[in-house]
């Protein structure tokens, strides 16, 4: 058995061991605003519920291991003491993953991920309309666990308003866990789904994805592509060139001779097929043909 003294290995390596060992972990999709009212949305898997009377949630935006900087969520909460915790189900997991990209401060991750801002009743941060459970919270305390990269910051927040999608409730008002279909985080690129077990999502690129807000309108408002499809498409650094699209479509013509004259709907269905295999590059070339 490998025995490790945490003080004798790199923080990044210890971080990986801990996240793989303590899994699966629920995901807090935290919506905040800064002192100027600018919106931020980011997921955190150091999260759980710790009390029901009063209703207390705790999550932890850790200091970045690579450069010891703090995340925009923590800055915003320090300034406003408010947050909305949204749960993440399978239908929105790719959009959630896209929002975790390290976008510059002030960028609206709702727009980048293609998720819908829903006004809260009590707090200023917006809710995620696609989330099946949304919890408006006031922050009671912030506890810094250290000052070096990887150190957590416990955000202790009290739920002041709870919103639940009626589609996940039975006739007696109880949550149907299967319909809630939550996902949880594990180590590396692994997640788990209540009904299906473990699956993988490629981590957001090390740079910054283009985001759903930069898509052509007919793609962003597609009646075929799902939120997960849009999340996958948004996690690319740039779109393929016209030359690459032309070359791809020429090769594709042997199997799909009518691709150049196909409708948007037909192209979206074909692109969706490629996305199901994880081939985002080919899907983009089809959509742009």
């Amino acid at each position: 058995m490998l025995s490790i003294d945490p003080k004798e290995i790199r923080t990044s390596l210890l971080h990986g061991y801990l996240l793989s060992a303590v899994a699966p972990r629920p995901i807090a999709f935290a919506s905040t605003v800064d002192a100027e009212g600018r919106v931020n949305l980011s997921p955190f898997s150091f999260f759980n519920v710790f009390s029901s009377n009063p209703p207390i949630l705790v999550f932890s935006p850790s200091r970045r291991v690579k450069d010891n900087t703090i995340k925009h969520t923590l800055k915003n909460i320090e300034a406003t003491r408010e947050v909305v915790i949204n749960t993440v189900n399978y239908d929105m997991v790719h959009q959630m993953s896209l929002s975790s990209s390290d976008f510059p401060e002030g960028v609206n991750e709702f727009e980048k991920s293609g998720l819908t801002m829903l006004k809260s009743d009590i707090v200023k941060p917006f809710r995620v309309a696609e989330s099946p459970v949304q919890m408006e919270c006031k922050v009671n305390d912030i506890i810094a666990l250290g000052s070096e990269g990887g150190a957590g910051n416990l955000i202790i927040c009290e739920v002041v308003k709870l919103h639940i999608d009626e589609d996940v409730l039975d006739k007696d008002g109880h949550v149907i866990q299967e319909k809630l279909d939550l996902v949880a985080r594990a180590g590396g690129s692994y997640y788990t789904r209540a009904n299906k077990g473990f699956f993988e999502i490629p981590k957001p690129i090390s740079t910054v994805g283009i985001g759903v807000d930069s898509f052509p309108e007919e793609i962003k408002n597609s009646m075929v592509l799902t939120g997960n499809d849009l999340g996958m498409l948004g996690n690319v650094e740039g779109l393929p060139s016209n030359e690459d699209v032309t070359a791809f479509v020429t090769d594709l013509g042997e199997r799909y001779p009518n691709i150049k004259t196909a409708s948007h709907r037909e192209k979206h269905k074909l692109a969706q097929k490629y996305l199901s295999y994880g081939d985002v590059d080919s899907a983009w070339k089809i959509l742009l043909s």
Side-chain angles (χ1 to χ4, degrees), residues 71-216:
K71 298 180 179 179
H72 303 145
T73 298
L74 178 58
K75 290 182 181 179
N76 294 351
I77 286 176
E78 288 175 338
T80 67
R81 312 289 289 196
E82 292 183 341
V83 60
V84 176
I85 302 297
N86 305 274
T87 61
V88 178
N89 66 4
Y90 184 73
D91 287 343
M92 58 188 287
V93 66
H94 280 277
Q95 291 170 283
M96 177 277 299
S97 178
L98 175 57
S99 76
S100 71
S101 296
D102 198 12
F103 294 109
E105 190 168 11
V107 168
N108 185 338
E109 286 86 1
F110 279 91
E111 294 178 353
K112 286 294 180 186
S113 60
L115 292 166
T116 307
M117 295 167 58
L118 183 62
K119 186 174 175 58
S120 295
D121 291 347
I122 296 176
V123 300
K124 291 180 181 178
F126 291 87
R127 295 180 276 149
V128 177
E130 291 81 359
S131 172
V133 182
Q134 309 142 10
M135 293 167 279
E136 300 182 36
C137 301
K138 296 280 190 178
V139 174
N140 291 348
D141 202 1
I142 303 171
I143 302 174
L145 301 180
S147 58
E148 300 299 322
N153 295 274
L154 300 186
I155 309 296
I156 302 173
C157 48
E158 183 171 347
V159 180
V160 295
K161 196 68 173 286
L162 176 66
H163 308 268
I164 304 175
D165 187 342
E166 292 184 3
D167 287 344
V168 304
L169 300 176
D170 64 18
K171 60 183 178 60
D172 297 318
H174 299 138
V175 172
I176 303 169
Q177 203 69 56
E178 292 81 2
K179 285 191 175 182
L180 197 58
D181 199 14
L182 295 181
V183 297
R185 195 74 170 86
S189 59
Y190 281 94
Y191 291 74
T192 187
R193 181 181 180 186
N195 294 339
K196 303 293 183 182
F198 281 109
F199 62 97
E200 267 191 292
I201 293 179
K203 290 185 177 181
I205 54 177
S206 57
T207 54
V208 173
I210 61 173
V212 176
D213 58 330
S214 63
F215 290 5

Side-chain angles (χ1 to χ4, degrees), residues 247-267:
F248 178 82
V249 171
T250 299
D251 292 339
L252 194 65
E254 296 180 6
R255 281 176 290 169
Y256 303 99
N258 298 321
I259 186 63
K260 292 183 180 180
T261 58
S263 66
H264 287 318
R265 183 178 181 82
E266 291 168 332
K267 289 180 181 179

